[in-house]
Structure formats: structure tokens, C-alpha cells
Amino acid sequence: DEAFSSGGYPYDKKLKRSIYESELSRLNLELVKLQAHQQKTGQRVMIIFEGRDAAGKGGTINAFRAYLNSRHARTVALTKPTETEQGQWYFQRYVEHFPTSGDLVMFDRSWYNRAGVEPVMGFCTPEQHTHFLKQVPKFEKLLVDEGIAFFKIWLNVGQEMQIKRFHDRRHNPLKSWKLSPIDLKALGQWDDYTSARDQMLEATHTRTAPWTVVRSNDKKRARLNAIRHVLTKLNYEGKDPEAIGRPDRKIIGQG
């Protein structure tokens, strides 16, 4: 299999596709069991996926959703706020997408835009950024106190791998839609994004709503371990710990 490096990645080779598909199949079955349990009990689950551009957020979400009933497993990927939304409480437009009884909702980027893209690109003021970081722990504590099973996943891609993925997108007509002017501008602001991420993790990694960091240079390992993490933390009827396996601590850890 192809050897690769960058971002301090702990393995010399990517996970073989045959192993990935076998393990993912077992995890998908567990996710189907989880969804059946949610429908039976009304359990609400919400996962937010954050990370730099090309970190693998969309592919990880698709791996979660592959065999789930789409009526009760939704992806939320909001565009830039409208003029009306800009005048609202910052969190307001996200709240309307929160899960109802029996739902799994996954955010492909979330309110944490204000901790990364917005301050780095100048889309918010320094005061708005600071205010956001102060508000977030209180806001997320309300979600957990409400009984929502809430997960925050940061997909961590290395700089070299990000450049490679951008190159693939630029030269593949099927993926070119994924590459935006902001993505290209971000290439020159790696250190600014790193600083914003570190500030975000320090301010918002709490006991109530901790961050889970997943190394995502190898998309296959990242997807498997993100799913394992969520399944490990939830209780549901028919749960098979052996089928889930143990999260790989070389790949996944807390913020």
C-alpha cells in the first residue's frame, strides 16, 4: 500500500481498503442498532465536525450515514448567514436544526466558524470572537443538561496532506466544486489557523462538552475511529463491544 507522511502521522502506510470495508461494515451495523434504539427511546444525538479545509469532514459524515434512515439522520451544512441572520443572536440559526426525539444530527461545520474561519479571514471583529469563546461553554452545557448526547470532533489534517488534497480537487472535475477561493487563501494562513484552533480548544474543551481530536491524514482510520468513539460513549440495545472494537489511541484523543 502507498506510503505517506506529514503532520506527525503515526503510521507509514494507509489502512488497506479490505480491512477498512470489513471494519466499517461491522460499525455500520452498530449504527443501525443505535438508530433503532433512538426511535424506541427518543434519544437525541448531535455531532459537530470541525477541522481545516480538506480534513475529511464530509467523508466521515457519509460513513456515519451510509445505512441510516435519512429521515432521522440529518446533515446540516449551512451557507454564509443572510442579512436577517446576521442581525440575530449568533447561535440562533443553528438551534433550529437541533435534533428532535429519535434524531441524529451531524453538523458539517458549526457555530465554531466563529472560532476559526471568521476571525482568520476577518469576517468577525476581535470583540465578537472573544465574546463567542466566552459564551460557548455555557451554551453547550445547556445542550447537555437538556439530555442531548453531544459530541465535538476535530479532524486534524497535516499541512502537506492538505496541499495534496487541494491539488487533487483542483485537477479532478468531479471534486473541483469542493475547492473555493477561501480554501486557496487559507493555504497561506496555516499558522493563523493553528493559533485560532489552539485558542478555541483551550477556551471550549470542557468536562461537559470535551473535544475529541482525530488524526485524519488517513481518511479510513479517521472515519473508523470517529464512529468507534461515538458508539463507545453511547448505550443502546444490542450493543456489541467486540464488533465496535477499541479506538486507536494513536489516531484519536481528547483536545
Side-chain angles (χ1 to χ4, degrees), residues 2 51 91 147 154 183 213 230 235:
E2 175 192 358
F91 296 97
W154 177 271
D183 293 339
V213 178
V230 170
N235 292 318

Side-chain angles (χ1 to χ4, degrees), residues 5-7 51-57 109 155-169 179 182-191 193 216-217:
S5 62
S6 84
R52 300 177 195 262
D53 297 312
K57 297 179 289 294
R109 293 202 184 277
L155 294 168
N156 204 48
V157 66
Q159 187 173 19
E160 188 180 322
M161 182 58 72
Q162 185 192 49
I163 291 170
K164 179 183 181 299
R165 290 177 184 171
F166 279 171
H167 181 271
D168 291 345
R169 289 177 179 184
L179 196 60
I182 288 181
D183 293 339
L184 296 174
K185 190 176 178 183
L187 281 173
Q189 295 178 287
W190 180 271
D191 291 342
Y193 272 101
S216 65
N217 275 8

Side-chain angles (χ1 to χ4, degrees), residues 22 27 31 34 46 66 131 221 229 233 243 254:
S22 174
L27 294 173
L31 286 166
L34 170 63
M46 186 159 68
H131 183 61
R221 284 190 172 99
H229 170 69
K233 297 291 183 182
Q254 286 209 323

Side-chain angles (χ1 to χ4, degrees), residues 8 11 18 22 44 74 91 104 120 124 150 158 165 167 174 188 202 208 213-214 231 251:
Y11 293 100
S18 58
S22 174
R44 292 167 292 172
R74 297 183 284 113
F91 296 97
L104 165 63
V120 171
C124 71
F150 179 53
R165 290 177 184 171
H167 181 271
L174 296 176
E202 186 175 350
T208 305
V213 178
V214 181
L231 290 172
I251 299 294

